[in-house]
Amino acid sequence: MYPKETPSQTAGPYVHIGLTPNFVGIHGIYDQDLGASPIADGAKGEVVTITGTVRDGAGMVMRDALIETWQADAAGIYPSNDPRGVADPNVSGWARIVADFDSGEWTLRTVKPGRVPAPDGRLMAPHISLWIVARGINIGLQTRLHFEDADNDGCPVLARIEQSDRVATLMAKKTGPSDYRFNIILQGIGETVFFDL
Amino acid sequence: MGHPAGGRNDARNPLIARDRDWHPAPLAPGYKTSVTRAPQRPLVAMPTTLSEQTGPAFGHGLIGELDNNLILNFTGQPAIGERIIVHGRVTDENGRGVSGTLVEAWQANAGGRYRHKKDGYLAPLDPNFGGCGRTITAEDGSYEFLTIRPGAYPWPNRVNDWRPMHIHLSLFGSGFGQRLITQLYFEGDPLIARCPIVHTIGQDKAIQSLIAPLDMNRAIPMDCLAYRFDVVLRGRRQTVFENRMEGM
């Protein structure tokens, strides 16, 4: 028999102690918190700022959510272990974002990712993968952020969403020349699409 | 052929699907916060792509000398409590060690108090205990922490709910789709059976896999006890097609 995957448990309300200790005032253990930015100065591509909130099924903005993001560079190559090539050295691709304790707003500054092929070779629309944990979430939620002004037609992953009106929940809305808004709703009306992948 | 499973060179291989009946249910009413934080719509199923089969890498250079020593890493003076080693191996579902992957840990102090502004429990902070640590797995997937055993603590769920002693662990693997956060419990703790967070998991065998047994072989006489906690991350399928592409 094969060993079973270790079961998930909630990250709990104090997840920041472990993952972003400096953010909650625990200084001196690590020089800085990991994942402050998925890009460094000089990264190729269009730099955009994405802001948003995470809401629960009662419509409350969650102030204890933690989001990690993973994305390709502007050419569609993933940093660190993409078998197709070497990514832009100024793109690490990974970020760890904490919602503000007062407003619940989170912000991601990054480059727009290029297209990446699905296993069958068709190109997926530009997207950023998101993993969301918090108190009350028993297993991390996986979703994707797309851009409403990109060419999203023909994306084989978006095409899997049977109720096509739900595709809109994955679209970051353009709010300025290089600004987008992406609100995540865990439950209820306008519920964000989450994947079992 | 020839990709070491769990290594960084196998990003073409799809991840094995998660068994979501083995993992906790998203909606588990005994854990009250999950009621409004669980999606109501079914998850949209899809095979993994490069977006999930690749993931961030963290070099050994990231790790400071005391990063995995929670007894000393906050002020350099020892924290108060029961000194323990927590160690184990990180493997994948094919049983192979996952090397070079980041493991992060966080926990309450010996009295059950977290160093976090939202924790108002009356047990005092330990001035020499921060409560976090990290390490990177060795070639065979092994890892270890030196820490103090955390205390149980009350939480506002039902009127008299207490969390068992536990340490939170966060793991990466080599693909973003392997990302996992879990909790380690301690053998023999009577609070495990009463905890609604533990019982978000339906299958008893799955719960048992989160309980670290006492490991006297690794204890250091007159110094510290030890607990063993092995972690299994999602594995990768190795298809005939992929094998032919890669080397035959």
Side-chain angles (χ1 to χ4, degrees):
Chain A
M1 273 299 288
Y2 293 111
K4 296 288 284 185
E5 189 187 7
T6 297
S8 173
Q9 290 270 263
T10 180
Y14 310 125
V15 59
H16 320 90
I17 294 174
L19 304 192
T20 57
N22 290 287
F23 178 81
V24 285
I26 303 174
H27 299 295
I29 299 180
Y30 310 146
D31 290 344
Q32 56 185 29
D33 293 336
L34 286 181
S37 177
I39 58 169
D41 289 345
K44 295 187 188 73
E46 181 190 349
V47 176
V48 294
T49 301
I50 304 160
T51 56
T53 53
V54 185
R55 283 181 191 270
D56 68 15
M60 300 282 288
V61 172
M62 288 165 54
R63 299 183 177 90
D64 53 8
L66 184 141
I67 302 170
E68 290 184 9
T69 67
W70 175 241
Q71 66 167 90
D73 67 9
I77 303 291
Y78 278 103
S80 88
N81 58 340
D82 194 316
R84 299 167 302 148
V86 177
D88 180 345
N90 292 316
V91 174
S92 72
W94 177 74
R96 188 173 263 172
I97 315 167
V98 189
D100 183 86
F101 278 173
D102 295 318
S103 67
E105 292 267 323
W106 55 265
T107 301
L108 173 68
R109 185 174 171 275
T110 190
V111 292
K112 262 189 177 175
R115 289 163 185 275
V116 176
D120 65 5
R122 286 186 290 168
L123 289 174
M124 299 186 281
H127 66 276
I128 298 173
S129 297
L130 271 61
W131 180 76
I132 303 156
V133 294
R135 177 173 66 103
I137 297 176
N138 292 326
I139 180 165
L141 295 169
Q142 293 155 306
T143 188
R144 289 183 171 192
L145 178 157
H146 288 257
F147 299 88
E148 67 169 358
D149 56 338
D151 180 4
N152 293 297
D153 293 342
C155 175
V157 171
L158 293 177
R160 292 185 81 91
I161 301 169
E162 190 181 344
Q163 291 132 345
S164 55
D165 58 323
R166 299 196 68 206
V167 170
T169 69
L170 302 184
M171 296 294 157
K173 305 264 183 298
K174 193 159 174 134
T175 55
S178 56
D179 298 321
Y180 290 86
R181 183 146 193 103
F182 188 68
N183 292 331
I184 297 161
I185 298 176
L186 297 192
Q187 184 191 85
I189 296 165
E191 182 174 308
T192 301
V193 169
F194 298 104
F195 294 98
D196 179 13
L197 43 70
Chain B
M1 309 264 296
H3 292 314
R8 302 210 66 81
N9 300 319
D10 51 6
R12 282 195 174 89
N13 294 4
L15 296 173
I16 295 167
R18 275 197 157 129
D19 179 352
R20 289 184 184 265
D21 294 327
W22 176 258
H23 282 287
L27 174 61
Y31 175 24
K32 293 181 181 179
T33 313
S34 77
V35 173
T36 52
R37 295 184 170 194
Q40 281 172 337
R41 303 287 199 113
L43 303 181
V44 174
M46 57 175 277
T48 58
T49 71
L50 274 176
S51 304
E52 295 77 35
Q53 291 153 207
T54 58
F58 305 94
H60 288 269
L62 172 75
I63 304 297
E65 199 183 336
L66 290 177
D67 279 7
N68 70 338
N69 182 339
L70 284 74
I71 291 179
L72 289 178
N73 72 6
F74 190 46
T75 61
Q77 296 299 309
I80 291 171
E82 185 181 337
R83 295 163 58 83
I84 59 170
I85 290 169
V86 171
H87 76 106
R89 257 185 99 210
V90 181
T91 59
D92 68 15
E93 290 170 292
N94 297 310
R96 279 171 278 201
V98 178
S99 65
T101 197
L102 181 65
V103 183
E104 296 165 290
W106 70 100
Q107 62 170 91
N109 69 21
R113 175 74 185 270
Y114 282 97
R115 188 172 286 280
H116 193 290
K117 64 182 179 184
K118 290 187 179 172
D119 188 359
Y121 184 33
L122 50 78
L125 288 169
D126 176 342
N128 295 315
F129 188 72
C132 64
R134 63 187 178 188
T135 189
I136 285 184
T137 57
E139 199 68 20
D140 63 350
S142 62
Y143 75 92
E144 68 174 25
F145 291 100
L146 182 61
T147 188
I148 53 94
R149 189 149 81 148
Y153 62 84
W155 58 299
N157 191 58
R158 297 172 303 200
V159 173
N160 195 19
D161 273 335
W162 292 72
R163 293 305 322 282
M165 303 177 284
H166 66 275
I167 298 175
H168 299 264
L169 290 174
S170 168
L171 296 110
F172 280 83
S174 54
F176 195 57
Q178 291 170 288
R179 198 72 183 82
L180 180 73
I181 280 181
T182 190
Q183 299 183 31
L184 170 166
Y185 303 102
F186 293 89
E187 179 184 2
D189 185 343
L191 290 171
I192 294 170
R194 298 168 181 267
C195 177
I197 288 181
V198 171
H199 289 279
T200 58
I201 300 172
Q203 298 186 39
D204 189 55
K205 272 188 169 175
I207 291 174
Q208 292 304 317
S209 73
L210 296 183
I211 302 174
L214 181 68
D215 180 2
M216 291 306 289
N217 285 6
R218 191 62 180 269
I220 303 173
M222 307 303 287
D223 182 341
C224 63
L225 281 171
Y227 287 85
R228 178 165 181 118
F229 189 70
D230 293 329
V231 179
V232 180
L233 299 178
R234 294 173 73 180
R236 291 174 190 265
R237 299 203 323 262
Q238 298 224 353
T239 64
V240 172
F241 174 75
E242 296 289 350
N243 287 345
R244 191 178 68 225
M245 289 281 286
E246 276 311 297
M248 300 304 288

